[in-house]
Amino acid sequence: MTAALEATGLGKRYGRTWALSDCDLSIPTGKVVGLVGPNGAGKTTLLHLAVGLLRPTCGALMVLGGAPGSTPGQLARVGFVAQDTPTYVGMSVRDHLRFGAWMNPAWDGAAAEQRVARLGLDPRQRVGNLSGGQRAQLALTLAVAKRPELLVLDEPVANLDPLARREFLQGLMEVVAEDGASVILSSHLVADLERVCDYLVVLVGSRVQIAGEIDNLLSTHLRLTGPRHDRHAVPSGQSVVSESHTERQSTFIVRTSQPILDPKWSVEKIGLEDLVLAYMAHTPALGPRPRLELRQ
């Protein structure tokens, strides 16, 4: 099966700074992927590479089996909503739909008009007079009316209030249910990701820290709490992701495929937010930066 996104040794450098480096990642189709990490981790860079707005400095990247942005046909297979859901404030809602039809040969005008009507948007209204949530919904409409196989969303709800965020995510899930599109959604809001995503990618320090099915990741990560010890006291076969200590107590989050049988440890399952924060705090030793070799 063709992957939605396949990266091998992928890197992007600006001057002397690597925004993304040594990225090996394979995302299967049919998933709603949550992409999370701190500011400056490389999330936007990865998404811009995926939609063809940037070219990699080194490594290889394939999206739906093709090079991002390489042909009009490849561009038509990917929908994109950038940060701040950019729209043209001087144009009406109807103007945006006409522009979308002109730019996209597979444009589904009937679906776009139906979605605008369902959202209660006045086609004659200028976008500059819409609320932030309405502009975000219009941007999503423009992205999905081209009937993409992959929908890429770069923090589209970051500036929305909770109600507008919920409505946007509900609209997104309707699109997924109707069209079966794969989705990559970048967000700092873990609660939103937990609501809609079934796959997780964590980027920290320009590198992928972990990627996989959310249910599987949660089932293989545990919190161990016990008397004060360093990480060498953690049972063998457990990979320590993060640790914290008080004078008398130690707490570790570990990745494991084995049961913890040592009675000195209290063992708990963790939630998605704890998992994400553990990897965001994780600072493994970094190997050498990638060589500047671009592979097509």
Side-chain angles (χ1 to χ4, degrees):
M1 180 181 294
T2 301
L5 183 148
E6 186 87 36
T8 306
L10 182 66
K12 179 62 180 178
R13 190 178 71 175
Y14 298 98
R16 296 183 178 180
T17 301
W18 288 93
L20 190 72
S21 62
D22 197 24
C23 177
D24 293 317
L25 181 64
S26 181
I27 297 175
T29 55
K31 300 297 180 184
V32 180
V33 181
L35 176 63
V36 64
N39 290 333
K43 302 187 299 298
T44 293
T45 296
L46 176 60
L47 298 185
H48 283 189
L49 288 166
V51 300
L53 291 175
L54 294 174
R55 283 180 54 81
T57 304
C58 61
L61 176 63
M62 301 291 281
V63 172
L64 300 171
S70 55
T71 65
Q74 180 70 18
L75 286 170
R77 301 174 72 191
V78 180
F80 181 47
V81 178
Q83 283 185 4
D84 302 323
T85 55
T87 46
Y88 299 96
V89 296
M91 292 170 55
S92 69
V93 172
R94 180 178 288 117
D95 290 336
H96 280 77
L97 300 188
R98 289 171 176 164
F99 182 65
W102 181 64
M103 291 292 292
N104 298 285
W107 180 260
D108 190 337
E113 291 175 4
Q114 289 170 8
R115 192 167 194 279
V116 163
R118 189 165 67 248
L119 293 168
L121 299 179
D122 183 348
R124 300 165 298 179
Q125 190 168 14
R126 291 186 182 276
V127 168
N129 295 326
L130 299 179
S131 69
Q134 289 173 322
R135 288 195 298 272
Q137 291 282 19
L138 176 60
L140 180 61
T141 299
L142 296 174
V144 301
K146 63 186 292 188
R147 293 303 186 198
E149 297 171 50
L150 173 64
L151 185 59
V152 177
L153 308 171
D154 190 5
E155 299 195 44
V157 298
N159 297 320
L160 302 184
D161 63 58
L163 179 58
R165 287 207 312 271
R166 185 179 68 180
E167 291 173 345
F168 181 92
L169 294 172
Q170 286 175 341
L172 174 62
M173 296 315 296
E174 290 172 2
V175 169
V176 171
E178 291 171 3
D179 298 344
S182 304
V183 177
I184 302 177
L185 170 63
S186 169
S187 179
H188 288 293
L189 303 169
V190 177
D192 288 341
L193 299 180
E194 193 166 19
R195 187 177 303 139
V196 301
C197 296
D198 54 14
Y199 200 95
L200 179 71
V201 177
V202 179
L203 269 178
V204 179
S206 80
R207 298 189 177 193
V208 176
Q209 300 299 314
I210 193 170
E213 301 269 1
I214 288 178
D215 287 346
N216 181 60
L217 294 179
L218 292 178
S219 69
T220 55
H221 287 77
L222 299 170
R223 178 186 289 108
L224 308 185
T225 305
R228 175 66 187 257
H229 288 290
D230 63 24
R231 64 171 54 205
H232 300 295
V234 172
S236 61
Q238 323 305 321
S239 175
V240 175
V241 178
S242 70
E243 59 187 282
S244 61
H245 306 274
T246 65
E247 184 176 340
R248 297 185 177 182
Q249 180 174 284
S250 293
T251 300
F252 298 92
I253 290 180
V254 300
R255 187 174 189 178
T256 181
S257 59
Q258 305 171 5
I260 308 296
L261 302 177
D262 190 332
K264 74 170 174 281
W265 296 107
S266 171
V267 181
E268 297 176 278
K269 295 181 179 179
I270 63 172
L272 186 61
E273 183 171 14
D274 288 334
L275 176 69
V276 168
L277 291 175
Y279 276 95
M280 286 175 63
H282 186 47
T283 53
L286 297 180
R289 291 292 185 179
R291 293 179 297 174
L292 302 187
E293 177 186 354
L294 180 61
R295 301 194 294 276
Q296 299 293 344

